[in-house]
Amino acid sequence: MSLKYGVLGLLKGEPLHGYEVKNRFEAMLGGTWEVNIGQIYTTLQRLERDGLVRPVGRRGDRGKQSYELSPEGHKALDQWLAEADSGPQQLHEDIYVKLLLATRIANGGLQQMLARQKRAYLQRLRDLNRLEERARRDGRIDLARLVRGALLHTEADLKWMDELSSERFGAEGGAAE
Amino acid sequence: MSLKYGVLGLLKGEPLHGYEVKNRFEAMLGGTWEVNIGQIYTTLQRLERDGLVRPVGRRGDRGKQSYELSPEGHKALDQWLAEADSGPQQLHEDIYVKLLLATRIANGGLQQMLARQKRAYLQRLRDLNRLEERARRDGRIDLARLVRGALLHTEADLKWMDELSSERFGAEGGAAE
DNA sequence: TCAGTATGTATGCCGAGTATGTATGAGAGC
DNA sequence: GCTCTCATACATACTCGGCATACATACTGA
């Protein structure tokens, strides 16, 4: 999803061709998201198919094909921006499944798993801090704000791990069958 | 990913056929994750193709085909459980792209957008609280623990929104081109 | 001339959803 | 007791979007 609307957002204002879209997108994300070039082109094709985008100026030099937003494209973009992001669905994340399985089949190894996760989160915290610093140094306040969000998430994860590891496991509550 | 290993985890211990896998999986997640039945079967086929799972007892009554874990399957599962979950990649989430685009093209509407997001998170908080309560009532401590994680996440999101909306925007920091 | 970069196409895997099909057992009505 | 119907258990096939790899080709600068 986000790539689709990211492309639309970049095309708002000026027409771009695929390669440019890729670069602008990655620049916008400060290099934290490397998009696959093939994906850009298929996304553009689908956008064209759906009438949200249309080719402009038949094939400039060197096969470059630029696209611009159609009126429908503008509408779709505005609409997306106007609705709240719903985030990932309730509990659809790997870590949840992993935790459940670990609880029911590896009761012993659970504390170690929590410790491992905690270490991973600490590492991520360090990475994000460095990233935030860099963003500020580059004057990318907008990026720094994103990183701040990721930091808060990671802190929440850490807190979660701490809560879990201080529980005493034993009287387990799996579903009765 | 999580579905793949979820299936492996369920198959550890006893062989199951597709439909059973679906039901057990959804039960494990306390109904918060409805899996598509088609996905279960394709997942099983791929697992079989990759040798992590193998059919057991040729086609029981009425087409039912049960599967069991192969030794490689056990290994793969144990390995997955033994490694830390890396979570979603750095800043690859819709909300980040939405925030960036909103900053650069809809400077005016940003505060409204933050307010909308905040409302959505508050709603989610309520849902999760209800879910946690239900899990505890049902004796599903394991599930309640997951919900606790989701709650902490959502609280972090809220805090983020608060931080953002108390910034004064204006001197924006987009990338210079 | 050679390396690198700009630019694009083709192809394939996986996640996920829809649509469809077949057996079976439980109940409704005669 | 028999049939018709409906729900449900169980499975397959098809489609679409996300994402990655591999490949092809031109231009550009050392």
Side-chain angles (χ1 to χ4, degrees):
Chain A
M1 272 284 116
S2 28
L3 184 58
K4 168 175 168 184
Y5 289 102
V7 171
L8 286 183
L10 289 170
L11 255 37
K12 175 166 185 143
E14 61 185 323
L16 300 171
H17 60 262
Y19 202 79
E20 275 175 327
V21 168
K22 172 185 154 75
N23 290 331
R24 305 266 181 130
F25 189 87
E26 291 177 347
M28 181 168 75
L29 270 298
T32 61
W33 185 341
E34 308 227 331
V35 210
N36 188 295
I37 182 67
Q39 206 186 334
I40 298 279
Y41 293 111
T42 45
T43 300
L44 280 172
Q45 280 163 211
R46 285 165 188 163
L47 287 172
E48 183 182 358
R49 181 198 59 192
D50 298 342
L52 303 187
V53 121
R54 66 184 160 217
V56 63
R58 268 292 139 219
R59 294 264 140 182
D61 42 4
R62 216 49 351 83
K64 286 195 254 190
Q65 178 60 69
S66 293
Y67 292 90
E68 65 180 359
L69 242 58
S70 71
E72 295 80 26
H74 275 100
K75 217 173 86 184
L77 175 61
D78 291 346
Q79 197 172 326
W80 184 70
L81 286 174
E83 65 196 24
D85 180 78
S86 68
Q89 197 50 17
Q90 302 269 52
L91 306 181
H92 291 213
E93 279 176 66
D94 281 18
I95 181 90
Y96 296 132
V97 173
K98 189 174 283 198
L99 194 56
L100 281 174
L101 288 179
T103 311
R104 53 172 62 187
I105 71 191
N107 244 311
L110 218 143
Q111 289 293 345
Q112 294 156 45
M113 175 190 169
L114 296 178
R116 253 197 319 271
Q117 267 316 122
K118 210 182 297 188
R119 275 199 301 279
Y121 290 141
L122 284 169
Q123 179 59 48
R124 169 171 296 223
L125 228 48
R126 278 191 291 275
D127 294 344
L128 288 172
N129 273 313
R130 230 174 315 129
L131 193 55
E132 187 184 18
E133 197 186 329
R134 181 159 67 84
R136 292 203 185 281
R137 221 175 29 238
D138 297 349
R140 292 293 309 275
I141 308 179
D142 56 343
L143 235 182
R145 283 199 283 254
L146 303 199
V147 179
R148 180 76 189 130
L151 274 167
L152 289 172
H153 264 180
T154 309
E155 285 169 6
D157 284 321
L158 262 172
K159 188 171 163 196
W160 185 34
M161 290 301 113
D162 283 336
E163 283 190 20
L164 288 182
S165 61
S166 66
E167 277 184 46
R168 52 238 157 299
F169 295 88
E172 277 314 324
E177 312 213 5
Chain B
M1 271 288 115
S2 26
L3 183 58
K4 168 176 168 183
Y5 289 103
V7 171
L8 286 183
L10 289 169
L11 255 37
K12 175 163 185 144
E14 60 185 324
L16 300 171
H17 60 264
Y19 202 80
E20 275 174 329
V21 168
K22 173 185 155 76
N23 290 331
R24 304 267 181 128
F25 189 86
E26 291 177 347
M28 182 168 72
L29 271 296
T32 62
W33 185 341
E34 307 227 333
V35 212
N36 188 296
I37 183 67
Q39 206 186 335
I40 297 279
Y41 291 109
T42 45
T43 299
L44 280 171
Q45 280 163 213
R46 285 164 189 164
L47 287 172
E48 183 182 359
R49 180 200 58 190
D50 299 341
L52 303 187
V53 120
R54 66 185 160 217
V56 63
R58 266 296 138 217
R59 295 265 138 179
D61 42 5
R62 226 30 346 111
K64 283 197 259 190
Q65 178 60 69
S66 294
Y67 292 90
E68 65 180 358
L69 243 55
S70 72
E72 295 80 26
H74 275 100
K75 218 173 83 185
L77 175 61
D78 290 347
Q79 197 172 325
W80 184 70
L81 286 174
E83 67 197 23
D85 179 77
S86 66
Q89 195 52 14
Q90 301 271 52
L91 307 181
H92 291 212
E93 281 177 64
D94 281 19
I95 181 89
Y96 295 133
V97 173
K98 190 174 284 201
L99 195 55
L100 282 175
L101 287 179
T103 311
R104 53 171 65 187
I105 71 192
N107 243 312
L110 218 144
Q111 289 293 344
Q112 294 156 44
M113 174 190 169
L114 296 178
R116 255 197 317 274
Q117 261 325 116
K118 209 182 296 188
R119 275 199 302 278
Y121 290 142
L122 284 169
Q123 179 58 48
R124 168 170 297 220
L125 227 50
R126 277 190 292 275
D127 293 345
L128 288 172
N129 273 314
R130 230 174 315 129
L131 194 55
E132 186 182 20
E133 197 186 331
R134 180 159 67 84
R136 291 203 186 284
R137 221 174 29 239
D138 297 348
R140 291 292 309 273
I141 308 180
D142 56 342
L143 235 184
R145 284 199 284 254
L146 302 199
V147 180
R148 181 77 189 129
L151 274 167
L152 289 172
H153 264 182
T154 308
E155 285 169 5
D157 284 322
L158 262 172
K159 188 171 162 197
W160 186 33
M161 290 300 114
D162 283 337
E163 284 189 18
L164 288 182
S165 59
S166 66
E167 276 185 46
R168 52 235 158 299
F169 294 89
E172 277 313 325
E177 310 211 8

